[in-house]
Amino acid sequence: QVHLVESGGGSVQAGGSLRLSCAAFGHTYTPFCMGWFRQAPGKEGEGVATIAGDGMTTYADSVTGRFTVSQDNAKNTLYLQMNSLKPEDTGMYYCAADFGHVCPTAATMTWGRFGYWGRGTQVTVSS
């Protein structure tokens, strides 16, 4: 079991940057896979990025080259550095974790593929 708490969201203008954080606590074992997922009003949710225990990362095509996922195991924290933000990046960003042995790619990330979720942090990008 693990509890996830996101922070770092906010409102920025297009071209700006934000860094999201996800603090994980209450767990005995480190999750094998963690990721970021976003949901915009009226749109389907989208996997943004995943990072596996071996350090392998995957990204949605829409954020490749602009977003970077990383984790600090000593601090039990997952990060998402978001640069060159666009209005279409607006949405609620959720942190997710799973203890399974297979880490989904960002493209295959769905609500059902991860066992634990945070409550989200809102990102709003204005043009």
Side-chain angles (χ1 to χ4, degrees):
Q1 184 175 359
V2 61
H3 298 284
L4 306 171
V5 179
E6 303 95 336
S7 62
S11 297
V12 295
Q13 290 190 326
S17 298
L18 283 173
R19 188 176 81 155
L20 305 184
S21 298
C22 172
F25 58 97
H27 55 291
T28 302
Y29 302 100
T30 300
F32 177 73
C33 183
M34 297 192 73
W36 290 97
F37 190 86
R38 66 186 179 188
Q39 179 81 58
K43 296 183 180 180
E44 288 191 12
E46 175 186 29
V48 176
T50 62
I51 183 166
D54 59 3
M56 181 172 290
T57 58
T58 70
Y59 297 91
D61 290 343
S62 59
V63 307
T64 297
R66 300 187 297 122
F67 291 11
T68 302
V69 63
S70 62
Q71 60 185 19
D72 185 333
N73 290 328
K75 295 182 179 180
N76 293 318
T77 302
L78 178 74
Y79 301 100
L80 183 68
Q81 178 66 45
M82 306 186 294
N83 299 328
S84 302
L85 283 162
K86 304 176 180 180
E88 50 264 44
D89 294 319
T90 294
M92 186 71 79
Y93 282 68
Y94 298 90
C95 172
D98 198 78
F99 293 92
H101 297 293
V102 177
C103 191
T105 64
T108 63
M109 189 177 181
T110 63
W111 294 108
R113 294 291 303 270
F114 282 75
Y116 300 91
W117 294 84
R119 294 192 173 187
T121 185
Q122 178 68 36
V123 172
T124 303
V125 185
S126 58
S127 58

